[in-house]
């Protein structure tokens, strides 16, 4: 396929009839009417509600758990502590392998025991009656001092770290060194080197060295974690859960509870926001409780529990030194990245290390990454996990160096931007990518063009930054069937978290040349749906979409075969249009899909049913890049920041549904803006979270976000359906740096920590 | 502790029921009346997912005690359909892409309805003020602004 | 949330009787503080055995204004009622500004002024405006009716001068003098849906030659209670209403307040904001006093 790039206009002109057109969501009516069922909207006969007691301490020894009084509480059906759990394969080195803390609690909110009752209020009241005796231990909260020799330990030594979940988000062949030797809080290290950094710095005309910090942030999906589980006497476990990863949940439950995968049915209910945070969390505990009581059990996390004990994204410190020649060539990069993993391993330091040195060609680099344990909730994935922390650093440096050398910040980036064939710090070459196209497009955005006007205006500034993500890879499959009435059913196993089922509808409609209204798409449960990887790592359209295309092509082939037999013609002479198979050149030889449906499903029908099958696996990723620009105004006396304008450009490869692609871009950008401006989980010295609610943990509101200017560019990927590439994640990556650069442009000084709060602005201005 | 007997109308139909005093209006509507369209995102008034219109005013039903709804006229998202047809606000949210995961959507739609009841042709600033109590994590709000403009018959 | 008995009396006497009878009963108005606190088991007092709703009591409702006697705001008036009242917007703009920033539209439609004041948060947004307008709080209880000046009402974080089983009935605010104006602003990281890091209200009355005849400044979230900045008030009395005196007043206010550091901001940051916002509110109030 020849490389062609275009910037898409709103109408989505293309040679196709279904793909590439703005398409309204297949499940839209259910959602606007409130008829869509989320996990908490489901109830079952004899269902019990679970409430979970979390540790008030961040680090303590659990000396005893006394549930006697709670059991006596009227209305309580069961109280379950560690000792009452069914046998399971406990793995203390893994968050996913521990249901209730046994001897040692490692973070505030870690589950200790649960109460079950028909009335959730009763269960909650009884929680207060569980008596736990703790012996508080030193809470290690600062990852930087936790790295030092002699730091108190976060926990007893661990082994067997399982990184399977991370691999779903970013798939790349890099080995992480698990820490060995004397017990330490460093869980793993990573190292990338190329060329000779010191020689590179010697060559540079401008060298910048700075330490950057980015706060621990929470995915803050509006629907908290929600799961229902049921276990019957035949040994079959059913789970309805708000997850991005039904098959992963099944696999984990199989391994931990020792139930065959064939005996587990996981139904991914509609996900009320996931962003990487809804992979596997409440499923194991809920399943274990259901196994004990043999009744359906519902566990809905309260917002507070979700803030305390889900899987937020890490704090990171990035120490970066970069060197540039006067002509703008980046010649050396040295970085040390420290990611706070919380109480269990799993921090995304590897992608951080890849991206800190992965956006620009740089002959000499040395990158070291550390994953450090602390007594905080253990982290998980948030949209392009680990990338924004590193991007904040490198993209701030690009601006600082360009400014010092008197270069245009976009040109400095353009000069060094990676292209197809350039290596990541790990050595892997990039496939075809659209970074330069994004840079060109952002220079055309209204926000960036306002730079000239804003220049010289006090306390106003415009900034730009880029970011990218490689994406995950997992095999996928899909089934496309022809119904008796000629309509088409697409069945997939991927949870629809971003409008993917609508894209699948478009793909099947395109292949079969039928109106969208003839195609429906279902996410099946793990027993009925064909396998798909987790809806994470932005890969769902790229992989499952490809499988749907193959399945639709297979179904089409089968239909043509039947029609060919019927018309005594060759399939090559046939084509499909308007829900009919036509014999080319003979207007009388038509077979409607409805007729074909009957011919393959009726009593005594001559032909077998049409069931198209698509399976795929690829090792080739389709990285996505985004460039963003912001215009801000600062109140120099209060430090308040107002975002006056924001623009995002992203390479979508091919936007199958421009409406969803824009939505993903705007949504990711808004999360990046939250990271940039207001989101921060704050802990006290004992490791207790100080802002476990959505008033003090500040997601951007409408008052904080202007309309976002949205520009799609399309550099087709090599293997994605119609050239589509990963979409969901790149949009969150540049926000922190974009705002940091705009703020620096406005006030002339740098705020090195994100979020850039008013207080930090005033400190940078020397007013505090 | 005694249940409280209350009467109210919801989406045009009258009810008289006994409620647990500590139940919120949200819990009563979801658990007792089985109207699960309204969502709970935080339970503490911070996200707006539970928004309903009570006696003409937009409220967060997660921090209103059910007994305090005695005598009120309540509208939830289920009450917007007229003879099975979508309300213009609902239609606009679908068309513009103002719906993604859909969890904030029922509350957001009620807040939009309340806004348009007060201000039939809102400016962008009116919209940004009127919806500030409704968090959406998926859309970044851009397409929600477009939905409100469309629903009020204005150019985007 | 744990259970309780619920009552919704329709007369004030009935409410007082219920409070007396139900040992550990608690009044509720909009519930935006109390319900949240009960859910999180974070009340300052033991979990209430009974909850007595005040919303159906006519004596607690209503907003009335009279040019000579001033303003009466019933305790169960909501923030929306107050922010939308033309009289309050015209004659007591700081009160409308304080009420008009509480939470979201939803919060303002539920939250009452009585709840805001009786909850006793140092950051309560209606407290500084009432302090600068010399409001009187009318209270009733087992021992009859009494009235307290606003600056004697707030006792500590979550604590007020209300005795057990007493209710706030209404807030009375004197009619503003000629050539007077008031203003309130707060700083929050988000533009809305946030709790004040610092709130500042000012009310001024100017002489015909633009001197400060009467001045009140009140600060929120910088002390265990909302407080008056009395040193700054003393300094400003009789001064010209000029940039210079406002700048100096801002420094005095920053120096006299004594904030703490917490999750919402450091003491230093708060002190700085007190200075900045005091200056701005003095300017805005003075402009309003001049008819601007
Ligand atoms: C999302 C959200 C945002 C918020 N934002 C703000 C904000 O920006 N600024 C701000 O100041 N506050 C804010 N609040 C707090 C709260 O909304 C206000 O304090 C509100 O005014 C409380 O009023 P209410 O009627 O809801 O009180 P309730 O919760 O009903 O009562 C509060 C307390 O006062 C007592 N009480 C109530 N009325 C009386 C009376 N007449 N006599 C005696 N005692 C009484 C109750 O027993 C209780 O202890 C916010 C709350 C939420 C949930
Ligand atoms: S659930 Fe009521 S405001 Fe969040
Ligand atoms: S659409 Fe998901 S929170 Fe709004």
């Amino acid at each position: 396929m020849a490389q062609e790039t275009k910037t898409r206009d709103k109408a989505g002109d293309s040679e196709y009839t279904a793909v590439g057109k703005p398409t309204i969501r297949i499940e839209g009516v259910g959602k606007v009417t409130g008829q869509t069922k989320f996990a908490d909207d489901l109830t079952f006969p004899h269902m019990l509600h679970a409430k979970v007691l979390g540790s008030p301490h961040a680090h303590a020894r659990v000396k005893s758990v006394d549930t006697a009084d709670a059991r006596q509480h009227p209305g309580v059906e069961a109280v379950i502590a560690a000792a009452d759990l069914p046998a399971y394969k406990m793995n203390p080195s893994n968050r996913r392998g521990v249901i209730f803390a046994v001897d040692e609690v490692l973070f505030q909110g870690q589950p200790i025991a649960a109460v079950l009752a028909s009335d959730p209020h009763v269960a909650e009241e009884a929680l207060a009656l569980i008596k736990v005796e703790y012996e508080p231990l030193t809470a290690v909260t600062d990852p930087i001092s936790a790295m030092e020799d002699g730091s108190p330990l976060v926990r007893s030594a661990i082994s067997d770290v399982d990184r399977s979940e991370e691999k779903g988000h970013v798939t790349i062949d890099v080995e992480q060194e698990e820490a060995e030797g004397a017990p330490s809080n460093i869980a793993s290290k990573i190292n990338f080197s190329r060329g000779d950094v010191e020689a590179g710095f010697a060559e540079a005309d401008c060298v910048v060295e700075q330490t950057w910090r980015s706060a621990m942030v929470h995915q803050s999906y509006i629907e908290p974690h929600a799961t229902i589980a049921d276990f019957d006497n035949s040994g079959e476990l059913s789970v309805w859960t708000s997850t991005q990863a039904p098959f992963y949940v099944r696999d984990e439950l199989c391994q931990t509870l020792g139930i065959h995968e064939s005996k587990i049915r996981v139904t991914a209910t509609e996900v009320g926001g996931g962003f990487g945070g809804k992979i596997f969390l409440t499923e194991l505990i809920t399943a274990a409780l259901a196994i004990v009581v043999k009744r359906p059990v519902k566990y809905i996390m309260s917002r507070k529990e979700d803030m305390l004990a889900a899987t937020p994204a890490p704090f990171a410190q990035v120490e970066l030194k970069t060197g540039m020649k006067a002509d703008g060539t980046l010649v050396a990069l040295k970085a040390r990245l420290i990611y706070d993993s919380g109480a269990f391993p799993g921090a995304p330091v590897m992608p951080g290390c890849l991206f800190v040195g992965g956006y620009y060609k740089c002959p000499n680099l040395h990158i070291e990454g550390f994953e450090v344990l602390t007594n905080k909730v253990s982290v998980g994935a948030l949209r392009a996990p680990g990338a924004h922390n590193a991007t904040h650093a490198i993209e701030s440096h690009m601006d600082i160096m360009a400014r010092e050398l008197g270069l245009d910040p976009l040109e400095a980036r353009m000069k060094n931007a990676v292209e197809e064939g350039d290596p990541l710090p790990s050595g892997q070459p990039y496939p075809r990518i659209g970074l330069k196209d994004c840079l060109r497009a952002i220079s055309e955005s209204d926000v960036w063009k306002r730079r000239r006007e804003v220049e010289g205006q006090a306390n106003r500034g415009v900034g730009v930054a880029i970011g990218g993500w490689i994406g995950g890879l997992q095999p996928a499959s899909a089934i496309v069937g022809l119904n008796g009435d000629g309509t088409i059913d697409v069945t997939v196993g991927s949870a629809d978290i971003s409008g993917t089922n609508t894209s699948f509808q478009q793909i099947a409609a395109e292949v079969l040349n039928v109106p969208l209204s003839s195609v429906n798409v279902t996410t099946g449960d793990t027993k009925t749906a064909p396998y798909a990887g987790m809806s994470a790592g932005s890969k769902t359209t790229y992989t499952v979409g490809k499988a749907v295309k193959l399945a639709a092509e297979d179904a089409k082939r089968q239909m043509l075969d039947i029609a060919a037999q019927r018309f005594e013609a060759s399939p090559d002479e046939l084509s499909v249009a308007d829900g009919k198979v036509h014999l080319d050149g003979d207007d009388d030889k038509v077979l409607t899909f409805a007729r074909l449906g009957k011919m393959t499903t009726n009593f005594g029908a001559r032909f077998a049913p049409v069931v198209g099958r698509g399976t795929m696996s690829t090792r080739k990723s389709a990285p996505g890049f985004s460039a963003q620009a912001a215009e801000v105004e600062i109140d120099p006396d209060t430090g308040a920041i107002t975002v006056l304008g924001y623009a995002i450009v992203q390479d979508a490869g091919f936007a199958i549904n421009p409406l969803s692609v824009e939505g993903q871009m705007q949504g990711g950008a808004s999360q990046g803006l939250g990271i940039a401006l207001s989101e921060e989980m704050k802990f006290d010295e004992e490791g207790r979270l100080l802002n476990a609610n959505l008033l003090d943990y500040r997601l951007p509101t409408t008052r904080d976000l202007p309309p976002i200017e949205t520009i799609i560019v399309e550099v087709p990927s090599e293997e994605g359906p119609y050239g589509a590439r990963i979409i969901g994640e790149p949009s969150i990556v540049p926000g922190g740096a974009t705002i940091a650069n705009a703020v620096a442009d406005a006030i002339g000084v740098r705020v090195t920590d994100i979020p850039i709060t008013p207080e930090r602005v005033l400190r940078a201005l020397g007013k505090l | 502790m005694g249940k409280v007997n209350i009467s109210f109308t919801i989406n045009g139909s009258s009810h008289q029921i006994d409620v647990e005093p500590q139940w919120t209006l949200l819990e009563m509507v979801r658990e007792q009346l089985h109207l699960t369209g309204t969502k709970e995102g935080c339970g503490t008034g911070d996200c707006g997912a539970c928004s309903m219109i009570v006696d003409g005013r937009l409220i967060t039903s997660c921090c209103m005690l059910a007994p305090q709804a005695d005598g009120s006229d309540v509208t939830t998202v289920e009450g917007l359909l007229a003879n099975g047809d979508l309300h213009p606000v609902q239609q606009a949210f679908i068309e513009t892409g103002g719906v993604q995961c859909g969890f904030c959507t029922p509350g957001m739609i009620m807040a939009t309805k309340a806004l348009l009841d007060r201000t039939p042709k809102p400016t962008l600033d009116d919209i940004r003020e009127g919806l500030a109590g409704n968090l959406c994590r998926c859309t970044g709000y851009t397409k929600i602004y477009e939905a409100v403009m469309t629903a009020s018959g204005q150019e985007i | 949330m744990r259970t309780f008995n619920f009552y919704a009396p329709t007369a004030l006497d009935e409410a007082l009787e219920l409070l007396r009878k139900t040992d550990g009963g608690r009044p509720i108005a909009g519930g935006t503080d109390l319900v949240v606190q009960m859910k999180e088991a974070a009340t300052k007092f033991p979990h209430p055995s009974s909850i007595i709703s005040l919303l159906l009591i006519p004596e607690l409702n209503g907003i009335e204004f009279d040019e000579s006697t001033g303003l009466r705001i019933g305790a169960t008036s909501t923030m929306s009622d107050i922010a939308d009242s033309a009289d309050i917007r015209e004659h007591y703009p700081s009160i409308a500004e304080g009420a008009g920033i509480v939470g979201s539209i939803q919060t303002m439609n539920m939250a009452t002024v009585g709840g805001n004041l009786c909850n006793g948060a140092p950051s309560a947004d209606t407290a500084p405006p009432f302090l600068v307008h010399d409001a009187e709080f009318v209270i009733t209880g087992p021992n009859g009716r009494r009235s307290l000046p606003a600056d004697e009402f707030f006792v500590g974080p979550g604590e007020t001068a209300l005795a057990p089983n007493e209710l706030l009935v209404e807030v009375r605010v004197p009619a503003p003098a000629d050539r007077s104006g008031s203003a309130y602003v707060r700083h929050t990281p988000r533009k809305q849906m946030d709790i004040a890091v610092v709130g500042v209200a000012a009310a001024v009355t100017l002489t015909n030659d633009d001197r400060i005849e009467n001045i009140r400044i009140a600060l929120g979230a910088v002390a265990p209670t909302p407080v008056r900045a009395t040193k700054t008030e003393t300094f400003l009395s009789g001064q010209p209403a000029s940039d210079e005196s406002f700048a100096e007043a801002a420094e005095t206010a920053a120096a006299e307040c004594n904030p703490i550091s917490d999750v919402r901001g450091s003491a230093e940051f708060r002190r700085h904001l007190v200075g900045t916002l005091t200056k701005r509110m003095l300017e805005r109030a003075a402009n309003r006093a001049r008819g601007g």
Side-chain angles (χ1 to χ4, degrees), chain B residues 39-43 45-50 60 62:
Chain B
K39 306 302 174 198
E40 174 160 340
C42 69
D46 305 330
C47 77
C50 63
T60 41
C62 71

Side-chain angles (χ1 to χ4, degrees), chain A residues 695, chain B residues 44-46 63, chain C residues 26-37 45 54 60 75-76 79 101-104 107 110-119 123-126 162 166-169 186 193-196:
Chain A
L695 195 56
Chain B
T44 50
D46 305 330
C63 26
Chain C
R26 190 83 203 167
I28 191 168
T32 58
D33 277 318
L34 189 57
V35 171
V36 172
Q37 290 161 9
F45 36 83
L54 305 179
L60 298 183
T76 58
M79 297 298 168
I101 191 67
V102 171
S104 59
T107 324
M110 301 169 80
T112 67
V113 66
N116 195 236
L117 299 170
C118 297
N119 184 56
S123 57
D125 283 311
T126 61
L162 286 178
E166 277 192 322
L167 289 175
L168 179 68
V169 178
R186 66 175 195 186
M193 284 304 281
D194 219 325
I195 301 298

